[in-house]
Amino acid sequence: MDDPAFQVETDLQTQSLLLAAANHDLRALRDLLRNTSASVQDPESGFTPLHAAIAACEPNAREETSKQVSGCTNGATTNGDAPKGEGEQRMTELEAAVKTIRLLFENGAIWNDLDANGETPGCIAHRLGLKRLYELCVDAGVRAELLLGRLDEYQPLGDEDSEEEEDGEDRDVEEVTKGVEAVEISGEDGQDNSNYLSSILSFDRDRILDDSANGVMIEWETALMRQSAELLLPSPELRVLNVGHGVGIIDSILQEKSPKSHHIIEAHPDVLKRMKEQGWYDKPGIVVHEGRWQDIVPGLIEKGELFDAIYFDTFAEEYKALREFFTEYVIGLLDPAGGADREGGKFGFFNGMGADRQVCYDVYNQIVELDLLEAGFDTEWETIPVPNFGEEGQWEGVRQKYWVLQNYKLATCSFIE
Ligand SMILES: C[S@@+](CC[C@H](N)C(=O)[O-])C[C@H]1O[C@@H](n2cnc3c(N)ncnc32)[C@H](O)[C@@H]1O
């Protein structure tokens, strides 16, 4: 790598790839991709060929990118004054971009590499309103993340032998997943659950921050909690389980619905202390389970406890944990003959993974729906607009916004009939 001649050659190859991608020049790209992967990055702009192929579709990017064919915003050609017929013979620039992007994905392009502006290729497509190109990025993200999820479950035999892993199968795993880590699908910055559970929490209004100023719960979520509670418990006298009490927003709303029984699982000692001070333990029908859901839920199943509705909203856990919850446990806790009018129990969860970037949220939503289906659930989605709370100080003192999107996708799940 220290060889300057080798470096020059690599740089040249990268620049050629970026140019061919920006020009949607499939022939040149195919030639170049014979000897190199599509996963290269310009050291200054951070552009990968995918970034270049998409950014070249910005109308004023044409002059900069030596493109010969013009116009590809959202499927419409801008060569309006070209003679009719000519346009039909010529591939539209959008179609050329689609082909280019497909070719790049087939040759190892990574869906979520970040450029120097902190944008993934999908972010650029979204910003430019290039719906088809955006969807290609989302589809590639779903494929990569599903594969990553499956590889994560896969434990090769002789797992302890790390030397063998380095030379063997695990190298393939690393290659497939490289770059997937560049943008975390979790909106919680990869926080570790046990670190969080031993951190000191501060409660302020209806808000919890941990001792690194991460927002555990912020009051803007109240409208989402209300709508979830309405869908899960539409009538009184139902049995509900809530995992993660937080500041008790959803538990207070669930209480308004006069449930027959109301179980709460909560693991953080500071939250439990506050629950005691606020009298949650003494409310009729409430059962508080102190501890991590991972330790509590098997006991509930053993006892044969069944619920008409289950809500799940924890903190500092990866998507894996939510998936484990609905794949392994909801089936044993949710009454298939329960719910309002005995139409079957309902399961809901706070849907916030990847919510610091639209493309990640869209990828994650497709993954969660597929995983729910595989676990035996039908999902109904409701889109709820999220107001911009910048001026209300909701994020004041919070280390990192975990939500930047305009719409929340609320999921309500029930067993497939
Ligand atoms: C985002 S808050 C829940 C907010 C709640 N939905 C509300 O309406 O206020 C997450 C809660 O889950 C708890 N928690 C985190 N990990 C947990 C685990 N493994 N088991 C049980 N509770 C957990 C946290 O202590 C916190 O109280």
Side-chain angles (χ1 to χ4, degrees), residues 3 20 63 81 90 97 102 125 133 150 163 217 233 270 274 304 392 408 410:
D3 177 356
E63 300 92 65
D81 45 14
R90 195 164 48 201
R102 286 206 180 116
L133 308 193
R150 297 295 175 268
E163 261 177 45
M217 181 66 184
L233 280 200
D270 293 354
R274 191 168 183 260
E392 291 174 29
Y408 176 82
L410 192 152

Side-chain angles (χ1 to χ4, degrees), residues 117-262:
N117 287 329
E119 286 189 310
T120 68
C123 298
I124 299 180
H126 190 256
R127 174 164 57 73
L128 300 179
L130 301 165
K131 197 162 175 282
R132 264 182 87 190
L133 308 193
Y134 179 72
E135 279 165 4
L136 287 176
C137 296
V138 172
D139 291 348
V142 172
R143 285 196 300 274
E145 293 293 328
L146 277 178
L147 188 59
L148 178 61
R150 297 295 175 268
L151 291 170
D152 212 32
E153 283 164 15
Y154 163 74
Q155 292 278 320
L157 289 172
D159 201 21
E160 312 87 65
D161 192 345
S162 59
E163 261 177 45
E164 235 173 65
E165 271 176 20
E166 264 162 39
D167 301 338
E169 280 154 304
D170 260 29
R171 199 180 46 209
D172 297 338
V173 172
E174 215 175 274
E175 265 162 28
V176 172
T177 62
K178 188 169 66 128
V180 177
E181 289 142 31
V183 176
E184 291 243 345
I185 243 186
S186 155
E188 281 151 3
D189 207 14
Q191 263 225 24
D192 174 68
N193 196 242
S194 63
N195 283 348
Y196 157 71
L197 291 175
S198 56
S199 75
I200 295 166
L201 302 184
S202 55
F203 297 85
D204 144 43
R205 310 179 306 227
D206 262 350
R207 189 168 104 138
I208 310 180
L209 302 188
D210 71 4
D211 53 16
S212 310
N214 293 299
V216 178
M217 181 66 184
I218 303 187
E219 59 261 52
W220 69 265
E221 290 180 32
T222 302
L224 310 179
M225 295 295 144
R226 177 159 294 282
Q227 186 57 6
S228 298
E230 300 290 345
L231 292 168
L232 293 174
L233 280 200
S235 51
E237 287 299 305
L238 295 173
R239 300 153 298 171
V240 62
L241 166 67
N242 178 38
V243 183
H245 176 76
V247 275
I249 296 175
I250 200 161
D251 281 320
S252 303
I253 302 170
L254 292 170
Q255 276 291 287
E256 290 169 14
K257 307 267 162 203
S258 313
K260 185 167 164 191
S261 67
H262 182 169

Side-chain angles (χ1 to χ4, degrees), residues 18 21 38-42 45-53 109-110 113-115 121:
L18 289 171
S39 169
V40 293
Q41 246 174 324
D42 178 67
S45 67
F47 262 30
T48 64
L50 266 184
H51 286 91
I110 289 168
D113 271 332
L114 296 177
D115 67 13

Side-chain angles (χ1 to χ4, degrees), residues 283-304:
K283 293 185 199 246
I286 294 251
V287 184
V288 180
H289 302 274
E290 300 185 351
R292 298 179 76 226
W293 63 264
Q294 289 86 341
D295 301 324
I296 305 286
V297 163
L300 290 178
I301 294 178
E302 220 173 274
K303 272 200 198 142

